[in-house]
């Protein structure tokens, strides 16, 4: 047997072993729990031995009205010049786990289901006054937010009239948005329980980092959700609902808010991540947030801080506030004519879901 033959075969053997180890490390080879027939399947204990494999019947499906946002790593922070010199969103690399997000802001008609349910089922517990004060949208914001402004038509019709059913709800505090998420979770899991299904992860407000990751739509360091550096396309058509030029609110097609699915979605399938209405996140506001939160799923929850982060800009804001890296805040109990929200849900099945795995 020649040394040349032995050396060549030994090298090939090493390559095979290395390939197997690599495949195991990447998850290509099934382990004890990777499928196939287990001794006891999901029984638990057989013949005095623990044989439990994964329980059958759990599969997380995309909730109605949501899209899957993949996991990933990106440079969070200001994507362009910090015109206001706030220095409150310095760049740093963070990693975000996969989650589901409402493809539009919560609409008037969706939120109406919530307040109607409270008025039907919870009056004896909360009281009608508390429901109307805390959770019913404050329609007076259309007059109170702006001095010398004729907001009467919006005050009277915006939440109540079917003409605005698919427009984003406004006049809702951060606290009310949180309560909506709890109600929506209970509604969904009550149904799943009655059907004999496993409970679903809860609905909640997105963290600030999740919101920014989703808004960028896979375009790292993108200034706007559509990926480009300009607020209009080559034909001069505006790409979001905001305050263009010097106060020409109508130039983008809508003087106030627009339907929640107006304009084109970003590459994750999310509408109006810039403009229309700004959106509550669950984070407490801190000027030095980039320095104090962790770089894996950053999340700054602080019940003692009444300032909550608001993102995305609105119909009454200039383009600076539409940028994916611009952050500001509002007090948690304040209600505004330009702030709404959308929900997210953790993706437990496939924490490293690929970008292409969508509805």
């Amino acid at each position: 047997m020649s040394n040349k033959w032995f050396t060549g075969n030994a090298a090939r053997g090493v390559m095979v072993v290395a390939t197997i180890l690599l495949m195991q490390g990447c998850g290509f080879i099934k382990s004890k729990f990777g499928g196939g027939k287990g001794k006891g399947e999901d029984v638990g204990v057989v013949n005095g031995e623990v044989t439990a494999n994964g329980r059958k019947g759990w599969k997380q499906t995309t909730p109605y009205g949501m899209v899957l946002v993949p996991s990933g790593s990106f440079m969070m922070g200001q994507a362009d010049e910090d015109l206001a010199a706030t220095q409150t969103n310095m760049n740093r690399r963070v990693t975000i786990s996969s989650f589901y997000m409402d493809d539009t802001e919560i609409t008037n008609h969706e939120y109406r289901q919530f307040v109607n349910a409270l008025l039907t089922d919870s009056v004896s517990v909360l009281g009608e006054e508390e429901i109307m004060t805390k959770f019913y949208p404050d329609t007076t914001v259309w007059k109170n937010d702006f001095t010398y402004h004729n907001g009467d038509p919006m005050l009277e019709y915006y939440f109540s009239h079917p003409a605005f059913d698919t427009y984003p709800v406004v006049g809702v505090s951060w606290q009310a948005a949180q309560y909506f998420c709890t109600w929506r979770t209970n509604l969904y899991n009550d149904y799943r329980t009655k059907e004999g299904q496993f409970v679903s992860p809860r609905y909640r407000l997105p963290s600030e980092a999740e919101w920014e990751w989703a808004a960028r739509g896979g375009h790292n360091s993108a200034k706007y959700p559509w990926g480009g550096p300009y607020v209009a396309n080559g034909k001069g058509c505006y790409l979001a609902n905001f305050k263009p030029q010097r106060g020409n609110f109508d130039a983008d097609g809508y003087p106030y808010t627009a339907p929640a699915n107006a304009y084109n979605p970003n590459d994750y399938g999310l509408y109006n991540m810039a403009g229309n209405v700004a959106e509550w996140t669950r984070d407490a506001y801190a000027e030095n947030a980039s320095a104090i939160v962790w770089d894996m799923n950053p999340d700054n929850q602080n019940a003692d801080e009444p300032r909550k982060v608001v993102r995305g800009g609105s119909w009454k804001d200039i383009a600076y506030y539409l940028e994916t890296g611009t952050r500001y805040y509002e007090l948690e109990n304040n209600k505004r004519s330009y702030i709404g929200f959308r929900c997210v849900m953790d993706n437990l099945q496939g924490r490293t879901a690929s970008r292409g795995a969508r509805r």
Side-chain angles (χ1 to χ4, degrees), residues 112-128:
R112 190 176 296 115
Q113 311 310 307
F114 165 58
V115 293
N116 286 347
L118 292 185
L119 290 170
T120 301
D121 304 326
S122 303
V123 172
S124 60
V125 178
L126 299 174
E128 184 174 352

Side-chain angles (χ1 to χ4, degrees), residues 165-357:
D165 276 353
T166 60
Y167 284 61
V169 68
V170 297
V172 173
S173 69
W174 179 87
Q175 296 164 328
Q178 293 273 68
Y179 204 88
F180 174 91
C181 293
T182 300
W183 169 82
R184 189 178 179 185
T185 299
N186 292 339
L187 183 70
Y188 188 40
N189 278 330
D190 284 349
Y191 169 79
R192 292 182 63 88
T193 301
K194 291 177 182 177
E195 294 294 315
Q197 302 174 12
F198 290 108
V199 297
S200 167
R202 63 188 177 88
Y203 294 96
R204 58 176 175 82
L205 293 179
S207 70
E208 179 181 11
E210 286 172 333
W211 190 97
E212 185 174 325
W213 166 245
R216 292 179 186 271
H219 298 279
N220 209 358
S221 301
K223 183 177 180 180
Y224 298 110
W226 44 88
Y230 306 110
V231 293
N233 61 21
K235 297 180 179 179
C237 300
Y238 288 106
L239 300 172
N241 181 21
F242 67 113
K243 180 182 178 180
Q245 303 171 16
R246 295 190 176 184
N248 185 358
F249 290 92
D250 201 46
D252 53 41
Y254 299 92
Y256 290 102
T257 57
N261 63 347
Y263 306 96
N264 291 325
N266 71 2
D267 283 358
Y268 287 160
L270 301 167
Y271 293 85
N272 289 303
M273 293 299 284
N276 209 23
V277 293
E279 300 176 15
W280 291 113
T281 71
R282 75 175 180 180
D283 284 41
Y285 182 82
E287 288 81 358
N288 64 337
S290 61
I292 64 175
V293 297
W294 202 33
D295 52 4
M296 176 65 185
N297 290 323
D299 191 9
N300 183 27
Q301 296 189 64
N302 182 359
D304 296 326
E305 173 56 74
R307 300 177 300 172
K308 304 303 180 184
V309 176
V310 176
R311 288 299 202 104
S314 75
W315 61 270
K316 64 92 181 172
D317 290 317
I318 60 174
Y320 168 74
Y321 291 98
L322 273 62
E323 295 180 16
T324 56
T326 300
R327 63 193 300 263
Y328 47 108
Y329 68 86
E330 183 57 82
L331 298 179
E332 62 185 24
N333 60 348
N334 281 356
K335 303 176 180 182
R336 299 297 186 188
S337 61
Y338 45 85
I339 300 179
F341 70 100
R342 71 180 82 206
C343 304
V344 300
M345 176 189 287
D346 291 315
N347 176 25
L348 301 184
Q349 189 171 22
R351 298 293 281 173
T352 56
S354 67
R355 181 176 175 179

